[in-house]
Amino acid sequence: MKKKNNKILSYLINFSLILILLFIWEQIVVQFEIPKRILPKPSQIIDYLAKDFTSGKYALLTKTLLSFRDALIGFSISVFLGTLLGIIFHQFKILKTIFSPFILISQLLPVPAFAPVVAALLGYGFETKIIIIVLFTIFPVIVTVESTISSLSANYFALFSSYNAKKIEVIKKLFLPSILPDLITTMKILTTASIVTSIIAELPLTVSGGIGKDIYNSFNNQITTRVWASLVMLCTVSILFFKSMLEIEKTIINKYRYAKE
Amino acid sequence: MQKNNSIELKELSILYNDLKIGLEAVSKASFDVKNGEFISIVGPSGCGKSTILKVISDTLDLSYSETRGDVKVLGSSPKIAREQRKIGFVFQKPTLLQWRNLEKNVSLPLEIIGLNKIEIKKRVKKLLKMVELEKYASYHPDQLSGGMQQKVSIARALAYDPEILLMDEPFGALDEINRRKMNDELLSVWKETGKTIVFVTHSIEEAIYLSERIIVLTKQPGRIKKIINVDLPYPRKNELGSMKFYKYINQIRLLLENEEEIV
């Protein structure tokens, strides 16, 4: 009971803090007469969002959701493909040695610089966008999967070997369940990373309808309020995505009693 | 006589070659284990006790080691015996899958073998009853004590009804009282199932309490110093303080202590 009260209290504090900050922001803009194209008032941003919703167009929402959808597609491919590659790398160390430098390099390059290069090579469409997201989110998955499997006690391998288990059984009954907790931790980090990459990847591409492109255009046309309104939408979606991963994690950890030794 | 042997080792040598210097872990060990026999291997740490079990169960990592000599398990090679699932292994640590409850842990080998669900349920129930854990079927490993976890691991090793049970210091991490209790339970399992058991331990007392014969190994490289017949009636609870029991302890202790002279 006490725990629950604490939670409510911390929510209340958070909420009031945000309100206070918004109020200060509003006052600063009013007092110093900051023009709207430099910093809009919070009330103007809220107004802008409200108009977008009441007009029935839901333009910002639709665009945010589209960017989010692409992030989710890239994210899912990364998790699936990364797990597969992690397992393959564990099985064939030689492949790991060959491919690791390339994957590492793809991580070292900043997305804004690398995305146009990829686009020039692979075209400016939807597939390229997904490929860019996957390129920038798959590495942590591979590393997590490979290292978690490698750190399993040799006894587990001996155990499955004494059952004369097929490789697929070892993967299903030993590898996948053992990597799950660490994989979910990595997935939590990738929720935001995939959304950020999705936004940035939109800039050099011709795929339209995403919030990234919209932010870029609004900024160029000095519609700063729209930029801010878009950011609010983006943050909301990112937080919801992250929170839902947290919930999934909690459910799985509790159900299978992971890490409760 | 040949037919009555579960395991036959002839001049088994095991070399570790990962250090480039070719460290010999076990040197020319020969012994037989009879069908249904309870045999223990004792020796100082690093004498290759566990490695011998790995060779018998065909789970030794051959990229770091090589073996010489001849090993027969139930008349064929260890590999074939493993593939036919004739060997159950119990490790020093319970090695349970923490995300599975007890029932699911015991059923793991049966799922891999591909038994149908009804048969699995029946067998698991019987096994958990044998190790007196049927009440805890839905518990997860982290909710049990070390001794209970090890019992689950024994039940799991017995699940697919292997003919040989290899145990690598299974009670080494338990306190004295629990260890004695587990010893008694293991003996009752042995009596009930009639399995051949090869039991590795560093406790002389435990070896005498449990086994019909004891193989005493020397320090690295492990050589067989002596094989001792333990001529005490089961159950050995009453023998614990006896002169005869004490004599066995002394005999083995002397063998282990004086080994320097022979090597």
Side-chain angles (χ1 to χ4, degrees), chain A residues 153 155-156 158-166 169 173-174 177-178 255-261, chain B residues 58-59 82-83 85 87 89 91 93 95-100 108-109 111-112 140 142-143 156 160:
Chain A
S153 150
N155 284 348
Y156 284 108
L159 186 73
F160 276 77
S161 162
S162 75
Y163 301 153
N164 197 28
K166 291 194 196 80
E169 294 284 347
K173 298 201 158 66
L174 179 63
S178 346
K255 181 165 179 208
Y256 296 103
R257 302 189 62 85
Y258 278 110
K260 291 208 171 171
E261 283 169 77
Chain B
D58 186 38
T59 51
R82 176 177 66 79
E83 282 168 359
R85 302 184 179 104
I87 299 164
F89 209 111
F91 303 93
K93 286 187 183 150
T95 322
L96 300 175
L97 305 180
Q98 50 157 333
W99 55 87
R100 286 173 167 247
L108 174 76
E111 288 168 30
I112 288 171
H140 277 251
D142 63 294
Q143 293 167 297
R156 180 181 62 182
Y160 49 101

Side-chain angles (χ1 to χ4, degrees), chain B residues 12-15 22-29 44 46-49 52 217-225 259 263:
Chain B
L12 172 73
S13 295
I14 304 166
L15 288 119
L23 184 71
E24 202 176 23
V26 175
S27 180
K28 292 191 178 161
C47 70
K49 309 183 286 265
I52 291 178
L217 289 183
T218 64
K219 230 190 264 176
Q220 199 173 47
R223 289 171 220 266
I224 292 180
K225 186 112 179 210
E259 68 172 23
V263 173

Side-chain angles (χ1 to χ4, degrees), chain A residues 160-220:
Chain A
F160 276 77
S161 162
S162 75
Y163 301 153
N164 197 28
K166 291 194 196 80
K167 204 84 242 179
I168 186 78
E169 294 284 347
V170 180
I171 291 171
K172 257 173 39 192
K173 298 201 158 66
L174 179 63
F175 289 179
L176 293 182
S178 346
I179 60 178
L180 204 53
D182 288 339
L183 185 62
I184 291 177
T185 307
T186 307
M187 283 162 75
K188 275 195 301 193
I189 300 164
L190 291 184
T191 52
T192 45
S194 62
I195 290 181
V196 170
T197 318
S198 171
I199 304 294
I200 299 174
E202 283 170 18
L203 302 186
L205 301 181
T206 54
V207 252
S208 58
I211 194 75
K213 201 113 192 164
D214 193 273
I215 291 174
Y216 186 68
N217 292 336
S218 308
F219 180 74
N220 280 343

Side-chain angles (χ1 to χ4, degrees), chain A residues 115 118-133 201 205:
Chain A
V118 179
L121 271 171
L122 302 172
Y124 295 80
F126 168 77
E127 293 85 359
T128 306
K129 184 180 178 186
I130 301 297
I131 288 170
I132 291 170
I133 299 171
L205 301 181

Side-chain angles (χ1 to χ4, degrees), chain A:
Chain A
M1 196 61 204
K2 203 176 174 194
K3 221 175 172 182
K4 209 172 178 183
N5 281 337
N6 277 341
K7 220 172 170 183
I8 293 169
L9 189 69
S10 80
Y11 276 138
L12 274 176
I13 292 172
N14 270 341
F15 189 66
S16 339
L17 205 63
I18 291 171
L19 279 182
I20 291 167
L21 284 173
L22 287 176
F23 179 76
I24 295 171
W25 174 356
E26 182 99 15
Q27 288 311 309
I28 289 174
V29 176
V30 171
Q31 292 302 320
F32 295 95
E33 294 177 356
I34 301 172
K36 200 161 109 181
R37 61 180 170 82
I38 293 178
L39 185 66
K41 285 185 278 190
S43 58
Q44 286 168 329
I45 298 169
I46 293 165
D47 226 36
Y48 196 95
L49 277 172
K51 242 184 242 160
D52 189 56
F53 279 96
T54 48
S55 68
K57 277 200 250 168
Y58 305 107
L60 288 182
L61 179 68
T62 316
K63 288 183 173 186
T64 310
L65 287 181
L66 187 117
S67 293
F68 171 63
R69 184 203 67 187
D70 294 352
L72 198 60
I73 294 172
F75 170 88
S76 313
I77 295 177
S78 269
V79 170
F80 184 78
L81 203 65
T83 306
L84 196 69
L85 284 175
I87 292 172
I88 291 174
F89 282 5
H90 175 264
Q91 294 300 310
F92 308 99
K93 298 280 181 214
I94 181 81
L95 288 178
K96 184 190 167 195
T97 324
I98 295 170
F99 286 110
S100 297
F102 296 103
I103 298 169
L104 187 64
I105 287 169
S106 77
Q107 295 304 297
L108 296 171
L109 299 165
V111 192
F114 195 51
V117 183
V118 179
L121 271 171
L122 302 172
Y124 295 80
F126 168 77
E127 293 85 359
T128 306
K129 184 180 178 186
I130 301 297
I131 288 170
I132 291 170
I133 299 171
V134 171
L135 268 179
F136 281 91
T137 50
I138 199 167
F139 182 69
V141 181
I142 298 176
V143 173
T144 305
V145 169
E146 205 268 330
S147 67
T148 314
I149 296 175
S150 297
S151 65
L152 279 173
S153 150
N155 284 348
Y156 284 108
F157 291 94
L159 186 73
F160 276 77
S161 162
S162 75
Y163 301 153
N164 197 28
K166 291 194 196 80
K167 204 84 242 179
I168 186 78
E169 294 284 347
V170 180
I171 291 171
K172 257 173 39 192
K173 298 201 158 66
L174 179 63
F175 289 179
L176 293 182
S178 346
I179 60 178
L180 204 53
D182 288 339
L183 185 62
I184 291 177
T185 307
T186 307
M187 283 162 75
K188 275 195 301 193
I189 300 164
L190 291 184
T191 52
T192 45
S194 62
I195 290 181
V196 170
T197 318
S198 171
I199 304 294
I200 299 174
E202 283 170 18
L203 302 186
L205 301 181
T206 54
V207 252
S208 58
I211 194 75
K213 201 113 192 164
D214 193 273
I215 291 174
Y216 186 68
N217 292 336
S218 308
F219 180 74
N220 280 343
N221 296 318
Q222 300 202 344
I223 319 171
T224 317
T225 316
R226 192 177 170 92
V227 175
W228 279 98
S230 308
L231 291 181
V232 171
M233 292 299 298
L234 253 181
C235 283
T236 315
V237 169
S238 288
I239 290 169
L240 287 178
F241 189 15
F242 183 74
K243 282 277 181 194
S244 50
M245 270 317 295
L246 269 186
E247 282 308 311
I248 292 174
E249 177 181 38
K250 235 194 271 170
T251 317
I252 289 179
I253 299 287
N254 280 336
K255 181 165 179 208
Y256 296 103
R257 302 189 62 85
Y258 278 110
K260 291 208 171 171
E261 283 169 77

Side-chain angles (χ1 to χ4, degrees), chain B residues 84-129:
Chain B
Q84 292 175 341
R85 302 184 179 104
K86 301 281 194 195
I87 299 164
F89 209 111
V90 178
F91 303 93
Q92 183 172 7
K93 286 187 183 150
T95 322
L96 300 175
L97 305 180
Q98 50 157 333
W99 55 87
R100 286 173 167 247
N101 63 26
L102 297 203
E103 199 178 353
K104 290 268 174 181
N105 261 295
V106 177
S107 73
L108 174 76
L110 302 175
E111 288 168 30
I112 288 171
I113 289 170
L115 236 57
N116 70 58
K117 281 194 178 137
I118 303 161
E119 179 67 19
I120 290 180
K121 242 199 153 103
K122 227 170 74 188
R123 271 210 219 179
V124 170
K125 204 171 167 189
K126 208 174 133 198
L127 285 160
L128 284 177
K129 198 171 171 187

